[in-house]
Amino acid sequence: MSRPIATIVGSQGFIGAALLRNLTAAGWDCRAPSRDMRWPVREQELGHVFYCAGLTGDYLQRAADTVEAHVSLLVRVLESTTWESLVYLSSTRLYDGLGAELIAQENTLLPVSPQVPRHLFDLTKLTGESLCHVLGKGRARVARLASVYNSPDDANGFLPSVLHQVAQAPVGASVVTDSSPHASRDYIHLPDVLRALVDIAVRGTHTVYNVATGENLRNDELGQLVRRLAGRELVFRSQQPVAAPAVIDIDRLERDFSWRPARVTSVIAPWLTDMAHTQ
C-alpha cells in the first residue's frame, strides 16, 4: 500500500516545520520544496499540499514579501495540476474588528479597509482565501488558525514568549511585558493544529474551517495564573483599554471531526506549576 503524499510549502516556518516532522513520523511521504522551487509543477505528484508560507509580525515592513507569500506564490501552487487537496493557512485575526458581541463564524462578513495599514495582512490573506475558492475547483480548503503556541521552549508568539520569560525569572520576580492586561486571544495548542490540518486535508467537506478553542484568555487572567501557580508577577506596561475580540465559533470542526481541543489553561497549568519549583 502506497504512503500518502504531503507537500509542505513553507516547511521552514514554525507550523510548517512541525507539520513536516509530524507527518514524517506518521509514515507520510513528505516533500518540502525549497524557496527557489519552480512553480507551477505539472509532473511531480504533490498529494495533499499544506500551504504554510506567510508573514505575521513583520508584514508591514515587508509588504512585497507579504503579497508574494500570501497571494502570488499561492497562485503558482494552485496552478500546479498534480495535487489532491490543498489547505491554505489563514488566520482568525481576520475577525479582530468584529467586537465581542458577535460570534465569529466562517461565513461572517469581515470589516476590512485598504486605508488601515494593518489590514494589509487581512486583505492579502482574504485574497489568498478567494483564490483557493476560485482556482481550487473544490479541492482547496482554508484553515483560519487562532494564536498557535507550543511550549515555553519554543517561544513563537506572545503566550509562549511570556511563559519563557517566566521560566527564566527567579521565583518571586516580576516579568514585564509591553502588552495590556485587557488584551485577550484564543490560543490553540500546536498538536491540535497539526491534527486539524490533516483532518481538513483528508476528510474536509467545507471550504473554510476555524481552527481554535472557542475560548479567549485575557492577559490579566494569565497574570493571575502565573502568580498563583508559578510564584512570579506578570507586569503589563500598557494599561490601555483593549476591545475584547469576538468568540470564535468551532462548531464546524466539532461536527466534521469530533473536535475537542485542549483548553489553554489546562495545557499551561502544569508548566507553571513546574516553574514554581525552579530557580
mmCIF file of all heavy atoms in Angstrom, residues 202-224:
data_model
loop_
_atom_site.group_PDB
_atom_site.id
_atom_site.type_symbol
_atom_site.label_atom_id
_atom_site.label_comp_id
_atom_site.label_asym_id
_atom_site.label_seq_id
_atom_site.Cartn_x
_atom_site.Cartn_y
_atom_site.Cartn_z
ATOM 1 N N VAL A 202 -7.652 15.656 4.454
ATOM 2 C CA VAL A 202 -8.054 14.310 4.049
ATOM 3 C C VAL A 202 -9.572 14.124 4.057
ATOM 4 O O VAL A 202 -10.124 13.434 3.196
ATOM 5 C CB VAL A 202 -7.384 13.269 4.981
ATOM 6 C CG1 VAL A 202 -7.852 11.859 4.649
ATOM 7 C CG2 VAL A 202 -5.866 13.356 4.860
ATOM 8 N N ARG A 203 -10.246 14.762 5.038
ATOM 9 C CA ARG A 203 -11.675 14.486 5.213
ATOM 10 C C ARG A 203 -12.552 15.726 5.155
ATOM 11 O O ARG A 203 -13.770 15.640 5.361
ATOM 12 C CB ARG A 203 -11.902 13.775 6.553
ATOM 13 C CG ARG A 203 -11.151 12.457 6.697
ATOM 14 C CD ARG A 203 -11.635 11.680 7.910
ATOM 15 N NE ARG A 203 -11.200 12.284 9.172
ATOM 16 C CZ ARG A 203 -11.988 12.489 10.212
ATOM 17 N NH1 ARG A 203 -13.270 12.193 10.140
ATOM 18 N NH2 ARG A 203 -11.503 13.009 11.325
ATOM 19 N N GLY A 204 -11.960 16.893 4.901
ATOM 20 C CA GLY A 204 -12.735 18.122 4.920
ATOM 21 C C GLY A 204 -13.786 18.183 3.833
ATOM 22 O O GLY A 204 -13.544 17.752 2.694
ATOM 23 N N THR A 205 -14.947 18.734 4.168
ATOM 24 C CA THR A 205 -16.028 18.892 3.196
ATOM 25 C C THR A 205 -16.412 20.359 2.991
ATOM 26 O O THR A 205 -17.106 20.677 2.026
ATOM 27 C CB THR A 205 -17.278 18.113 3.645
ATOM 28 O OG1 THR A 205 -17.685 18.569 4.940
ATOM 29 C CG2 THR A 205 -16.985 16.616 3.702
ATOM 30 N N HIS A 206 -15.992 21.243 3.912
ATOM 31 C CA HIS A 206 -16.271 22.666 3.785
ATOM 32 C C HIS A 206 -15.044 23.384 3.220
ATOM 33 O O HIS A 206 -13.929 22.878 3.285
ATOM 34 C CB HIS A 206 -16.648 23.272 5.144
ATOM 35 C CG HIS A 206 -17.971 22.801 5.661
ATOM 36 N ND1 HIS A 206 -18.099 21.634 6.402
ATOM 37 C CD2 HIS A 206 -19.220 23.323 5.548
ATOM 38 C CE1 HIS A 206 -19.380 21.470 6.730
ATOM 39 N NE2 HIS A 206 -20.076 22.476 6.229
ATOM 40 N N THR A 207 -15.267 24.590 2.702
ATOM 41 C CA THR A 207 -14.161 25.348 2.110
ATOM 42 C C THR A 207 -13.369 26.127 3.152
ATOM 43 O O THR A 207 -12.202 26.467 2.907
ATOM 44 C CB THR A 207 -14.684 26.320 1.047
ATOM 45 O OG1 THR A 207 -15.696 27.162 1.626
ATOM 46 C CG2 THR A 207 -15.269 25.567 -0.140
ATOM 47 N N VAL A 208 -13.965 26.435 4.327
ATOM 48 C CA VAL A 208 -13.284 27.207 5.368
ATOM 49 C C VAL A 208 -13.578 26.578 6.722
ATOM 50 O O VAL A 208 -14.729 26.200 7.008
ATOM 51 C CB VAL A 208 -13.743 28.687 5.398
ATOM 52 C CG1 VAL A 208 -12.959 29.474 6.443
ATOM 53 C CG2 VAL A 208 -13.595 29.332 4.023
ATOM 54 N N TYR A 209 -12.518 26.469 7.549
ATOM 55 C CA TYR A 209 -12.668 25.961 8.912
ATOM 56 C C TYR A 209 -11.949 26.904 9.880
ATOM 57 O O TYR A 209 -10.798 27.288 9.644
ATOM 58 C CB TYR A 209 -12.038 24.570 9.064
ATOM 59 C CG TYR A 209 -12.802 23.445 8.428
ATOM 60 C CD1 TYR A 209 -12.551 23.075 7.109
ATOM 61 C CD2 TYR A 209 -13.767 22.732 9.136
ATOM 62 C CE1 TYR A 209 -13.237 22.025 6.516
ATOM 63 C CE2 TYR A 209 -14.462 21.681 8.558
ATOM 64 C CZ TYR A 209 -14.198 21.328 7.246
ATOM 65 O OH TYR A 209 -14.878 20.285 6.665
ATOM 66 N N ASN A 210 -12.631 27.239 10.984
ATOM 67 C CA ASN A 210 -11.964 27.894 12.106
ATOM 68 C C ASN A 210 -11.230 26.835 12.929
ATOM 69 O O ASN A 210 -11.845 25.848 13.350
ATOM 70 C CB ASN A 210 -12.975 28.610 13.008
ATOM 71 C CG ASN A 210 -13.543 29.862 12.387
ATOM 72 O OD1 ASN A 210 -12.919 30.482 11.536
ATOM 73 N ND2 ASN A 210 -14.741 30.239 12.807
ATOM 74 N N VAL A 211 -9.934 27.043 13.161
ATOM 75 C CA VAL A 211 -9.145 26.124 13.981
ATOM 76 C C VAL A 211 -8.772 26.881 15.245
ATOM 77 O O VAL A 211 -7.810 27.646 15.286
ATOM 78 C CB VAL A 211 -7.901 25.631 13.227
ATOM 79 C CG1 VAL A 211 -7.095 24.658 14.091
ATOM 80 C CG2 VAL A 211 -8.303 24.956 11.917
ATOM 81 N N ALA A 212 -9.562 26.682 16.284
ATOM 82 C CA ALA A 212 -9.443 27.462 17.518
ATOM 83 C C ALA A 212 -10.020 26.632 18.657
ATOM 84 O O ALA A 212 -10.440 25.492 18.458
ATOM 85 C CB ALA A 212 -10.187 28.797 17.372
ATOM 86 N N THR A 213 -10.031 27.225 19.864
ATOM 87 C CA THR A 213 -10.636 26.536 21.006
ATOM 88 C C THR A 213 -12.042 27.039 21.301
ATOM 89 O O THR A 213 -12.794 26.390 22.015
ATOM 90 C CB THR A 213 -9.792 26.721 22.271
ATOM 91 O OG1 THR A 213 -9.793 28.109 22.651
ATOM 92 C CG2 THR A 213 -8.361 26.235 22.061
ATOM 93 N N GLY A 214 -12.387 28.224 20.789
ATOM 94 C CA GLY A 214 -13.686 28.809 21.091
ATOM 95 C C GLY A 214 -13.717 29.562 22.407
ATOM 96 O O GLY A 214 -14.783 29.971 22.869
ATOM 97 N N GLU A 215 -12.543 29.760 23.031
ATOM 98 C CA GLU A 215 -12.447 30.494 24.293
ATOM 99 C C GLU A 215 -11.300 31.492 24.215
ATOM 100 O O GLU A 215 -10.235 31.171 23.678
ATOM 101 C CB GLU A 215 -12.189 29.543 25.468
ATOM 102 C CG GLU A 215 -13.303 28.560 25.740
ATOM 103 C CD GLU A 215 -12.997 27.665 26.935
ATOM 104 O OE1 GLU A 215 -11.842 27.701 27.419
ATOM 105 O OE2 GLU A 215 -13.903 26.948 27.382
ATOM 106 N N ASN A 216 -11.514 32.674 24.756
ATOM 107 C CA ASN A 216 -10.465 33.689 24.808
ATOM 108 C C ASN A 216 -9.865 33.766 26.208
ATOM 109 O O ASN A 216 -10.592 33.692 27.200
ATOM 110 C CB ASN A 216 -11.023 35.066 24.425
ATOM 111 C CG ASN A 216 -11.478 35.121 22.981
ATOM 112 O OD1 ASN A 216 -10.870 34.498 22.108
ATOM 113 N ND2 ASN A 216 -12.551 35.857 22.712
ATOM 114 N N LEU A 217 -8.545 33.919 26.265
ATOM 115 C CA LEU A 217 -7.845 34.094 27.539
ATOM 116 C C LEU A 217 -7.358 35.532 27.634
ATOM 117 O O LEU A 217 -6.597 35.998 26.780
ATOM 118 C CB LEU A 217 -6.654 33.137 27.634
ATOM 119 C CG LEU A 217 -5.768 33.280 28.884
ATOM 120 C CD1 LEU A 217 -6.536 32.864 30.136
ATOM 121 C CD2 LEU A 217 -4.487 32.474 28.733
ATOM 122 N N ARG A 218 -7.798 36.253 28.677
ATOM 123 C CA ARG A 218 -7.342 37.625 28.901
ATOM 124 C C ARG A 218 -5.959 37.619 29.536
ATOM 125 O O ARG A 218 -5.603 36.722 30.291
ATOM 126 C CB ARG A 218 -8.324 38.363 29.809
ATOM 127 C CG ARG A 218 -9.572 38.868 29.119
ATOM 128 C CD ARG A 218 -10.543 39.445 30.130
ATOM 129 N NE ARG A 218 -9.931 40.437 31.001
ATOM 130 C CZ ARG A 218 -10.194 41.747 30.951
ATOM 131 N NH1 ARG A 218 -11.054 42.213 30.070
ATOM 132 N NH2 ARG A 218 -9.617 42.572 31.803
ATOM 133 N N ASN A 219 -5.210 38.669 29.239
ATOM 134 C CA ASN A 219 -3.868 38.779 29.824
ATOM 135 C C ASN A 219 -3.894 38.860 31.342
ATOM 136 O O ASN A 219 -3.005 38.334 32.018
ATOM 137 C CB ASN A 219 -3.147 40.002 29.250
ATOM 138 C CG ASN A 219 -2.609 39.761 27.862
ATOM 139 O OD1 ASN A 219 -2.654 38.640 27.347
ATOM 140 N ND2 ASN A 219 -2.111 40.813 27.228
ATOM 141 N N ASP A 220 -4.891 39.540 31.905
ATOM 142 C CA ASP A 220 -4.931 39.614 33.369
ATOM 143 C C ASP A 220 -5.247 38.244 33.983
ATOM 144 O O ASP A 220 -4.768 37.914 35.076
ATOM 145 C CB ASP A 220 -5.912 40.682 33.856
ATOM 146 C CG ASP A 220 -7.321 40.526 33.295
ATOM 147 O OD1 ASP A 220 -7.575 39.564 32.538
ATOM 148 O OD2 ASP A 220 -8.175 41.374 33.614
ATOM 149 N N GLU A 221 -6.018 37.412 33.275
ATOM 150 C CA GLU A 221 -6.261 36.051 33.737
ATOM 151 C C GLU A 221 -4.970 35.232 33.673
ATOM 152 O O GLU A 221 -4.693 34.421 34.576
ATOM 153 C CB GLU A 221 -7.343 35.396 32.885
ATOM 154 C CG GLU A 221 -8.712 36.038 33.021
ATOM 155 C CD GLU A 221 -9.711 35.509 32.018
ATOM 156 O OE1 GLU A 221 -9.292 35.049 30.936
ATOM 157 O OE2 GLU A 221 -10.922 35.554 32.311
ATOM 158 N N LEU A 222 -4.198 35.453 32.614
ATOM 159 C CA LEU A 222 -2.894 34.802 32.519
ATOM 160 C C LEU A 222 -2.007 35.230 33.681
ATOM 161 O O LEU A 222 -1.319 34.401 34.293
ATOM 162 C CB LEU A 222 -2.229 35.159 31.187
ATOM 163 C CG LEU A 222 -0.792 34.672 30.983
ATOM 164 C CD1 LEU A 222 -0.713 33.149 31.027
ATOM 165 C CD2 LEU A 222 -0.237 35.204 29.647
ATOM 166 N N GLY A 223 -2.030 36.526 34.002
ATOM 167 C CA GLY A 223 -1.237 37.029 35.117
ATOM 168 C C GLY A 223 -1.619 36.384 36.437
ATOM 169 O O GLY A 223 -0.751 36.076 37.265
ATOM 170 N N GLN A 224 -2.916 36.169 36.653
ATOM 171 C CA GLN A 224 -3.364 35.521 37.885
ATOM 172 C C GLN A 224 -2.859 34.082 37.967
ATOM 173 O O GLN A 224 -2.445 33.617 39.039
ATOM 174 C CB GLN A 224 -4.891 35.545 37.942
ATOM 175 C CG GLN A 224 -5.478 36.941 38.125
ATOM 176 C CD GLN A 224 -6.977 36.969 37.878
ATOM 177 O OE1 GLN A 224 -7.633 35.926 37.827
ATOM 178 N NE2 GLN A 224 -7.528 38.161 37.709
#
